[in-house]
Amino acid sequence: MKRLLAGLAAVAFVLVTPIPASAGVGKSPDDLRDLAHKLGIRIGTAVDPAAFRTETDYRRMINREFTNLTGENAMKWESVEPERGEYNWTDADLLVRNAMKWGQKVRGHTLVWHNQLPTWLTEGVEDGSIDAKELRKILRDHIKTEVGRYRGKIRAWDVVNEVVDDNGKLRDSIWLKHLGPGYIADAFRWAHQADPSAKLYINDYNLEWDTKKIDTTLKIVKDLQRKGVRIDGIGFQGHLGIQYDYPGDFPNIMRKFTDLGLEAAITEADVRMVLPVTPKKLATQADYYKRMLSTCAANKRCVEFTVWGFTDRHSWVPGWFEGEGAACITDDKLAPKPAYKALLTVGRR
């Protein structure tokens, strides 16, 4: 382990710009960035801006290991417009600047969601001071303002996030209640108008196995395509737990979407476990991570594999799943876990 960490540290200063995908052919990958180039898939991580600013080892590993960055919270509506008409782009700008410096691409996350909305918006809708007509204009302005600010700098946007509930129905959000189902198509249209070069995604959890959610999401995609609305990709979040069976039909499910002409991405991968950690649990976790990346590598239209944080030091899991954790590919000291090493063994078919 010490030798591995030393080897990783030795390359911390290199790879400021991307290298050709053919570089190092026949040689085992040294790290995830090297693996990304070998597979022809962007390998990314969600980024915590506060940790990025203050923790040198955290920042160093992001820039050494990853070719794609996603703001964990930096681009969500409550972060960028906490008060109506008063924008805070500090964290989002930091992410974009860093990506440009280190030859990385950015995933914009997320434009339309039912969570992490600013209080001024939710309270205004609730008390009736924001009616449906104004809400639609607010949503349009939000999308056009944010996408427009980063025009040409964001590879892909999660335009709508988690719009299908756990029963396979359109989620009963403020958007559906007040704007009707047409808000989904509108969001894609506005995003495309603001940046015609960006790839536009629908993103959701449990799409790896939940039949009802899969079927409804397929219907949404086909409806958008039938109406001539630009949609480029499907995002599988990839939040798994080793206490549940691995979703073995995931390759076929991904293919159902890519057969429609979409590109695919695994956008928020992590694999949690019931604590305490044991070697057996770590081995199972490693297998789940490897199988997710292998599914992406085996599908020529899968272009990205992003982990939802790479270190247990800053994982969201313990705060949401009582008694669970250790979901990331490195521990809280950034030491690579078996999952990290398993990813390096994946090959493109």
Side-chain angles (χ1 to χ4, degrees):
M1 184 65 72
K2 290 181 179 178
R3 288 196 297 272
L4 175 59
L5 289 173
L8 290 171
V11 297
F13 60 93
V14 301
L15 297 171
V16 174
T17 57
I19 61 174
S22 59
V25 172
K27 169 177 163 294
S28 297
D30 296 318
D31 54 29
L32 296 178
R33 186 180 276 249
D34 190 18
L35 176 66
H37 293 302
K38 288 179 180 298
L39 295 179
I41 296 170
R42 294 201 167 273
I43 295 181
T45 184
V47 177
D48 178 335
F52 186 88
R53 287 188 178 90
T54 60
E55 299 173 15
T56 302
D57 56 348
Y58 178 86
R59 181 170 62 251
R60 183 185 298 123
M61 192 163 187
I62 285 172
N63 292 331
R64 178 180 69 233
E65 297 283 335
F66 298 103
T67 62
N68 216 78
L69 304 182
T70 302
E72 187 170 9
N73 294 300
M75 293 184 176
K76 292 174 181 171
W77 201 335
E78 70 172 2
S79 297
V80 299
E81 194 183 5
E83 302 294 335
R84 188 170 184 177
E86 297 181 13
Y87 295 94
N88 182 356
W89 304 107
T90 303
D91 289 345
D93 284 354
L94 173 67
L95 188 78
V96 172
R97 284 198 308 270
N98 188 81
M100 294 177 68
K101 177 180 178 181
W102 287 88
Q104 297 157 325
K105 296 294 183 181
V106 177
R107 181 173 204 87
H109 180 78
T110 176
L111 295 173
V112 186
W113 194 23
H114 62 281
N115 275 334
Q116 292 185 247
L117 296 170
T119 302
W120 63 263
L121 176 61
T122 55
E123 290 184 349
V125 172
E126 185 176 352
D127 66 23
S129 60
I130 296 176
D131 62 16
K133 182 178 180 180
E134 185 176 8
L135 182 63
R136 187 174 188 272
K137 180 181 184 301
I138 289 170
L139 180 60
R140 182 193 65 198
D141 291 348
H142 164 67
I143 292 172
K144 288 197 168 186
T145 297
E146 184 159 19
V147 177
R149 180 179 181 83
Y150 299 109
R151 183 182 176 112
K153 297 178 181 179
I154 303 290
R155 194 201 76 82
W157 281 100
D158 291 325
V159 178
V160 296
N161 190 52
E162 301 175 6
V163 297
V164 181
D165 67 20
D166 295 334
N167 295 310
K169 306 294 184 183
L170 286 181
R171 187 176 297 279
D172 191 24
S173 65
I174 66 169
W175 312 116
L176 185 65
K177 287 179 181 177
H178 298 279
L179 302 182
Y183 82 88
I184 296 174
D186 284 338
F188 278 93
R189 290 188 185 102
W190 295 328
H192 179 56
Q193 290 165 7
D195 187 354
S197 67
K199 299 292 185 179
L200 307 180
Y201 273 68
I202 183 171
N203 188 57
D204 217 323
Y205 64 90
N206 291 352
L207 280 178
E208 307 82 19
W209 60 269
D210 188 325
T211 302
K212 292 180 180 179
K213 180 169 281 198
I214 293 162
D215 289 345
T216 301
T217 305
L218 283 167
K219 289 178 183 177
I220 293 171
V221 171
K222 291 175 183 178
D223 183 61
L224 292 173
Q225 291 178 328
R226 185 168 54 252
K227 293 175 178 175
V229 177
R230 166 83 174 270
I231 178 171
D232 300 293
I234 178 71
F236 300 89
Q237 291 185 7
H239 295 296
L240 304 182
I242 66 168
Q243 63 271 40
Y244 309 108
D245 292 337
Y246 183 83
D249 201 37
F250 186 20
N252 292 326
I253 293 164
M254 180 180 285
R255 199 152 42 242
K256 288 182 179 181
F257 286 93
T258 57
D259 283 350
L260 296 176
L262 300 183
E263 65 178 38
I266 297 173
T267 57
E268 305 180 22
D270 52 27
V271 182
R272 64 189 186 274
M273 64 184 68
V274 177
L275 301 174
V277 175
T278 67
K280 183 178 180 180
K281 291 176 183 178
L282 289 174
T284 302
Q285 178 187 64
D287 177 63
Y288 280 28
Y289 267 109
K290 180 178 179 179
R291 291 171 75 177
M292 273 199 285
L293 179 56
S294 295
T295 292
C296 184
N299 188 315
K300 293 181 179 179
R301 297 191 67 86
C302 187
V303 299
E304 177 193 330
F305 176 84
T306 286
V307 294
W308 203 243
F310 63 91
T311 170
D312 293 337
R313 185 191 299 174
H314 296 299
S315 172
W316 71 291
V317 169
W320 285 87
F321 298 94
E322 186 176 356
E324 298 180 40
C328 299
I329 59 174
T330 73
D331 66 18
D332 59 1
K333 295 181 175 58
L334 308 191
K337 293 157 68 174
Y340 175 97
K341 298 173 186 177
L343 291 177
L344 296 182
T345 69
V346 173
R348 170 77 95 167
R349 292 205 303 271

